[in-house]
mmCIF file of all heavy atoms in Angstrom:
data_model
loop_
_atom_site.group_PDB
_atom_site.id
_atom_site.type_symbol
_atom_site.label_atom_id
_atom_site.label_comp_id
_atom_site.label_asym_id
_atom_site.label_seq_id
_atom_site.Cartn_x
_atom_site.Cartn_y
_atom_site.Cartn_z
ATOM 1 N N PHE N 186 -13.891 -0.664 -6.362
ATOM 2 C CA PHE N 186 -14.075 0.590 -5.630
ATOM 3 C C PHE N 186 -13.251 0.683 -4.342
ATOM 4 O O PHE N 186 -12.949 1.790 -3.872
ATOM 5 C CB PHE N 186 -15.555 0.790 -5.270
ATOM 6 C CG PHE N 186 -16.428 1.065 -6.466
ATOM 7 C CD1 PHE N 186 -17.243 0.074 -7.002
ATOM 8 C CD2 PHE N 186 -16.418 2.313 -7.074
ATOM 9 C CE1 PHE N 186 -18.045 0.331 -8.098
ATOM 10 C CE2 PHE N 186 -17.233 2.580 -8.173
ATOM 11 C CZ PHE N 186 -18.046 1.582 -8.693
ATOM 12 N N PHE N 187 -12.855 -0.466 -3.767
ATOM 13 C CA PHE N 187 -12.271 -0.379 -2.427
ATOM 14 C C PHE N 187 -10.910 -1.067 -2.282
ATOM 15 O O PHE N 187 -10.122 -0.680 -1.410
ATOM 16 C CB PHE N 187 -13.249 -0.977 -1.395
ATOM 17 C CG PHE N 187 -14.569 -0.251 -1.351
ATOM 18 C CD1 PHE N 187 -15.689 -0.786 -1.987
ATOM 19 C CD2 PHE N 187 -14.682 0.974 -0.720
ATOM 20 C CE1 PHE N 187 -16.899 -0.117 -1.964
ATOM 21 C CE2 PHE N 187 -15.889 1.653 -0.701
ATOM 22 C CZ PHE N 187 -17.001 1.107 -1.321
ATOM 23 N N VAL N 188 -10.589 -2.069 -3.074
ATOM 24 C CA VAL N 188 -9.314 -2.780 -2.917
ATOM 25 C C VAL N 188 -8.218 -2.005 -3.660
ATOM 26 O O VAL N 188 -8.394 -1.709 -4.855
ATOM 27 C CB VAL N 188 -9.423 -4.223 -3.460
ATOM 28 C CG1 VAL N 188 -8.065 -4.914 -3.400
ATOM 29 C CG2 VAL N 188 -10.464 -5.012 -2.661
ATOM 30 N N PRO N 189 -7.147 -1.655 -2.969
ATOM 31 C CA PRO N 189 -6.041 -0.940 -3.641
ATOM 32 C C PRO N 189 -5.417 -1.826 -4.714
ATOM 33 O O PRO N 189 -5.295 -3.049 -4.510
ATOM 34 C CB PRO N 189 -5.070 -0.647 -2.510
ATOM 35 C CG PRO N 189 -5.885 -0.757 -1.251
ATOM 36 C CD PRO N 189 -6.925 -1.796 -1.527
ATOM 37 N N PRO N 190 -5.002 -1.250 -5.848
ATOM 38 C CA PRO N 190 -5.250 0.147 -6.245
ATOM 39 C C PRO N 190 -6.711 0.337 -6.638
ATOM 40 O O PRO N 190 -7.272 -0.470 -7.372
ATOM 41 C CB PRO N 190 -4.323 0.347 -7.431
ATOM 42 C CG PRO N 190 -4.184 -1.029 -8.029
ATOM 43 C CD PRO N 190 -4.239 -1.985 -6.874
ATOM 44 N N ARG N 191 -7.372 1.370 -6.085
ATOM 45 C CA ARG N 191 -8.785 1.624 -6.301
ATOM 46 C C ARG N 191 -9.044 2.086 -7.727
ATOM 47 O O ARG N 191 -8.172 2.605 -8.404
ATOM 48 C CB ARG N 191 -9.279 2.655 -5.291
ATOM 49 C CG ARG N 191 -8.999 2.205 -3.828
ATOM 50 C CD ARG N 191 -9.401 3.252 -2.818
ATOM 51 N NE ARG N 191 -10.866 3.263 -2.635
ATOM 52 C CZ ARG N 191 -11.446 3.952 -1.669
ATOM 53 N NH1 ARG N 191 -10.704 4.717 -0.844
ATOM 54 N NH2 ARG N 191 -12.759 3.935 -1.541
ATOM 55 N N TRP N 192 -10.298 1.889 -8.150
ATOM 56 C CA TRP N 192 -10.796 2.255 -9.471
ATOM 57 C C TRP N 192 -10.177 1.419 -10.599
ATOM 58 O O TRP N 192 -10.177 1.797 -11.755
ATOM 59 C CB TRP N 192 -10.592 3.748 -9.754
ATOM 60 C CG TRP N 192 -10.978 4.608 -8.586
ATOM 61 C CD1 TRP N 192 -10.141 5.294 -7.756
ATOM 62 C CD2 TRP N 192 -12.300 4.833 -8.107
ATOM 63 N NE1 TRP N 192 -10.830 5.957 -6.781
ATOM 64 C CE2 TRP N 192 -12.197 5.693 -6.977
ATOM 65 C CE3 TRP N 192 -13.586 4.424 -8.508
ATOM 66 C CZ2 TRP N 192 -13.291 6.135 -6.257
ATOM 67 C CZ3 TRP N 192 -14.660 4.877 -7.791
ATOM 68 C CH2 TRP N 192 -14.526 5.710 -6.677
ATOM 69 N N THR N 193 -9.626 0.281 -10.197
ATOM 70 C CA THR N 193 -9.128 -0.694 -11.176
ATOM 71 C C THR N 193 -9.463 -2.089 -10.662
ATOM 72 O O THR N 193 -9.841 -2.266 -9.504
ATOM 73 C CB THR N 193 -7.600 -0.599 -11.363
ATOM 74 O OG1 THR N 193 -6.947 -1.021 -10.156
ATOM 75 C CG2 THR N 193 -7.171 0.811 -11.704
ATOM 76 N N PHE N 194 -9.302 -3.049 -11.529
ATOM 77 C CA PHE N 194 -9.526 -4.434 -11.123
ATOM 78 C C PHE N 194 -8.227 -5.130 -10.737
ATOM 79 O O PHE N 194 -8.203 -6.342 -10.539
ATOM 80 C CB PHE N 194 -10.218 -5.213 -12.257
ATOM 81 C CG PHE N 194 -11.641 -4.795 -12.470
ATOM 82 C CD1 PHE N 194 -11.986 -3.996 -13.546
ATOM 83 C CD2 PHE N 194 -12.630 -5.185 -11.576
ATOM 84 C CE1 PHE N 194 -13.301 -3.603 -13.736
ATOM 85 C CE2 PHE N 194 -13.950 -4.793 -11.780
ATOM 86 C CZ PHE N 194 -14.294 -3.992 -12.851
ATOM 87 N N GLN N 195 -7.126 -4.361 -10.606
ATOM 88 C CA GLN N 195 -5.852 -4.935 -10.207
ATOM 89 C C GLN N 195 -5.798 -5.068 -8.680
ATOM 90 O O GLN N 195 -6.463 -4.325 -7.949
ATOM 91 C CB GLN N 195 -4.699 -4.063 -10.680
ATOM 92 C CG GLN N 195 -4.607 -3.958 -12.209
ATOM 93 C CD GLN N 195 -3.455 -3.070 -12.646
ATOM 94 O OE1 GLN N 195 -2.712 -2.547 -11.815
ATOM 95 N NE2 GLN N 195 -3.313 -2.897 -13.963
ATOM 96 N N VAL N 196 -4.979 -6.013 -8.206
ATOM 97 C CA VAL N 196 -4.771 -6.234 -6.764
ATOM 98 C C VAL N 196 -3.291 -6.147 -6.501
ATOM 99 O O VAL N 196 -2.493 -6.877 -7.094
ATOM 100 C CB VAL N 196 -5.311 -7.605 -6.334
ATOM 101 C CG1 VAL N 196 -5.123 -7.798 -4.840
ATOM 102 C CG2 VAL N 196 -6.784 -7.747 -6.718
ATOM 103 N N GLU N 197 -2.926 -5.220 -5.565
ATOM 104 C CA GLU N 197 -1.507 -4.946 -5.388
ATOM 105 C C GLU N 197 -0.826 -5.850 -4.372
ATOM 106 O O GLU N 197 0.393 -5.960 -4.360
ATOM 107 C CB GLU N 197 -1.315 -3.484 -4.970
ATOM 108 C CG GLU N 197 -1.876 -3.160 -3.594
ATOM 109 C CD GLU N 197 -1.674 -1.718 -3.206
ATOM 110 O OE1 GLU N 197 -1.250 -0.910 -4.056
ATOM 111 O OE2 GLU N 197 -1.934 -1.391 -2.043
ATOM 112 N N SER N 198 -1.568 -6.501 -3.502
ATOM 113 C CA SER N 198 -0.911 -7.341 -2.495
ATOM 114 C C SER N 198 -1.578 -8.708 -2.447
ATOM 115 O O SER N 198 -2.764 -8.853 -2.759
ATOM 116 C CB SER N 198 -0.983 -6.689 -1.109
ATOM 117 O OG SER N 198 -2.325 -6.631 -0.658
ATOM 118 N N SER N 199 -0.774 -9.676 -2.045
ATOM 119 C CA SER N 199 -1.301 -11.043 -1.927
ATOM 120 C C SER N 199 -2.355 -11.138 -0.835
ATOM 121 O O SER N 199 -3.283 -11.952 -0.902
ATOM 122 C CB SER N 199 -0.157 -12.023 -1.626
ATOM 123 O OG SER N 199 0.510 -11.645 -0.420
ATOM 124 N N GLU N 200 -2.265 -10.276 0.164
ATOM 125 C CA GLU N 200 -3.252 -10.285 1.243
ATOM 126 C C GLU N 200 -4.632 -9.928 0.715
ATOM 127 O O GLU N 200 -5.645 -10.529 1.070
ATOM 128 C CB GLU N 200 -2.842 -9.298 2.331
ATOM 129 C CG GLU N 200 -3.830 -9.242 3.503
ATOM 130 C CD GLU N 200 -3.389 -8.265 4.556
ATOM 131 O OE1 GLU N 200 -2.265 -7.727 4.452
ATOM 132 O OE2 GLU N 200 -4.180 -8.039 5.497
ATOM 133 N N ASN N 201 -4.651 -8.939 -0.184
ATOM 134 C CA ASN N 201 -5.923 -8.545 -0.758
ATOM 135 C C ASN N 201 -6.473 -9.611 -1.702
ATOM 136 O O ASN N 201 -7.693 -9.782 -1.836
ATOM 137 C CB ASN N 201 -5.783 -7.221 -1.503
ATOM 138 C CG ASN N 201 -5.540 -6.062 -0.551
ATOM 139 O OD1 ASN N 201 -5.941 -6.127 0.609
ATOM 140 N ND2 ASN N 201 -4.877 -5.011 -1.025
ATOM 141 N N ILE N 202 -5.536 -10.344 -2.355
ATOM 142 C CA ILE N 202 -5.987 -11.448 -3.224
ATOM 143 C C ILE N 202 -6.686 -12.517 -2.388
ATOM 144 O O ILE N 202 -7.752 -13.029 -2.754
ATOM 145 C CB ILE N 202 -4.789 -12.030 -4.001
ATOM 146 C CG1 ILE N 202 -4.247 -11.000 -4.987
ATOM 147 C CG2 ILE N 202 -5.214 -13.304 -4.731
ATOM 148 C CD1 ILE N 202 -3.025 -11.474 -5.751
ATOM 149 N N VAL N 203 -6.072 -12.843 -1.254
ATOM 150 C CA VAL N 203 -6.680 -13.848 -0.365
ATOM 151 C C VAL N 203 -8.043 -13.354 0.136
ATOM 152 O O VAL N 203 -9.020 -14.095 0.210
ATOM 153 C CB VAL N 203 -5.736 -14.159 0.814
ATOM 154 C CG1 VAL N 203 -6.444 -15.055 1.830
ATOM 155 C CG2 VAL N 203 -4.474 -14.818 0.317
ATOM 156 N N ALA N 204 -8.115 -12.057 0.462
ATOM 157 C CA ALA N 204 -9.373 -11.495 0.961
ATOM 158 C C ALA N 204 -10.469 -11.570 -0.107
ATOM 159 O O ALA N 204 -11.622 -11.921 0.178
ATOM 160 C CB ALA N 204 -9.157 -10.047 1.409
ATOM 161 N N LEU N 205 -10.106 -11.220 -1.348
ATOM 162 C CA LEU N 205 -11.079 -11.288 -2.426
ATOM 163 C C LEU N 205 -11.529 -12.726 -2.689
ATOM 164 O O LEU N 205 -12.722 -12.995 -2.921
ATOM 165 C CB LEU N 205 -10.506 -10.676 -3.695
ATOM 166 C CG LEU N 205 -10.455 -9.140 -3.751
ATOM 167 C CD1 LEU N 205 -9.721 -8.692 -5.000
ATOM 168 C CD2 LEU N 205 -11.869 -8.570 -3.732
ATOM 169 N N ALA N 206 -10.554 -13.660 -2.672
ATOM 170 C CA ALA N 206 -10.901 -15.062 -2.892
ATOM 171 C C ALA N 206 -11.819 -15.582 -1.788
ATOM 172 O O ALA N 206 -12.808 -16.289 -2.037
ATOM 173 C CB ALA N 206 -9.632 -15.904 -2.980
ATOM 174 N N THR N 207 -11.465 -15.202 -0.542
ATOM 175 C CA THR N 207 -12.305 -15.627 0.592
ATOM 176 C C THR N 207 -13.713 -15.041 0.492
ATOM 177 O O THR N 207 -14.721 -15.712 0.721
ATOM 178 C CB THR N 207 -11.655 -15.204 1.914
ATOM 179 O OG1 THR N 207 -10.335 -15.767 1.993
ATOM 180 C CG2 THR N 207 -12.495 -15.676 3.093
ATOM 181 N N MET N 208 -13.763 -13.739 0.115
ATOM 182 C CA MET N 208 -15.064 -13.099 -0.024
ATOM 183 C C MET N 208 -15.879 -13.771 -1.134
ATOM 184 O O MET N 208 -17.102 -13.943 -0.999
ATOM 185 C CB MET N 208 -14.888 -11.619 -0.325
ATOM 186 C CG MET N 208 -16.203 -10.866 -0.491
ATOM 187 S SD MET N 208 -15.953 -9.133 -0.884
ATOM 188 C CE MET N 208 -17.648 -8.631 -1.182
ATOM 189 N N SER N 209 -15.205 -14.151 -2.222
ATOM 190 C CA SER N 209 -15.923 -14.821 -3.311
ATOM 191 C C SER N 209 -16.517 -16.140 -2.838
ATOM 192 O O SER N 209 -17.693 -16.455 -3.110
ATOM 193 C CB SER N 209 -14.972 -15.077 -4.486
ATOM 194 O OG SER N 209 -14.438 -13.866 -4.966
#
């Protein structure tokens, strides 16, 4: 719902990947 690109499970930037991994 919130990580670009929204409404998909894709992650467009490595920064967001790190954020998701950290959040996990």
Side-chain angles (χ1 to χ4, degrees):
F186 291 103
F187 299 101
V188 175
R191 304 176 77 170
W192 315 108
T193 68
F194 290 104
Q195 297 179 1
V196 182
E197 66 180 9
S198 66
S199 58
E200 180 180 353
N201 291 334
I202 293 177
V203 172
L205 284 174
T207 303
M208 180 181 174
S209 300

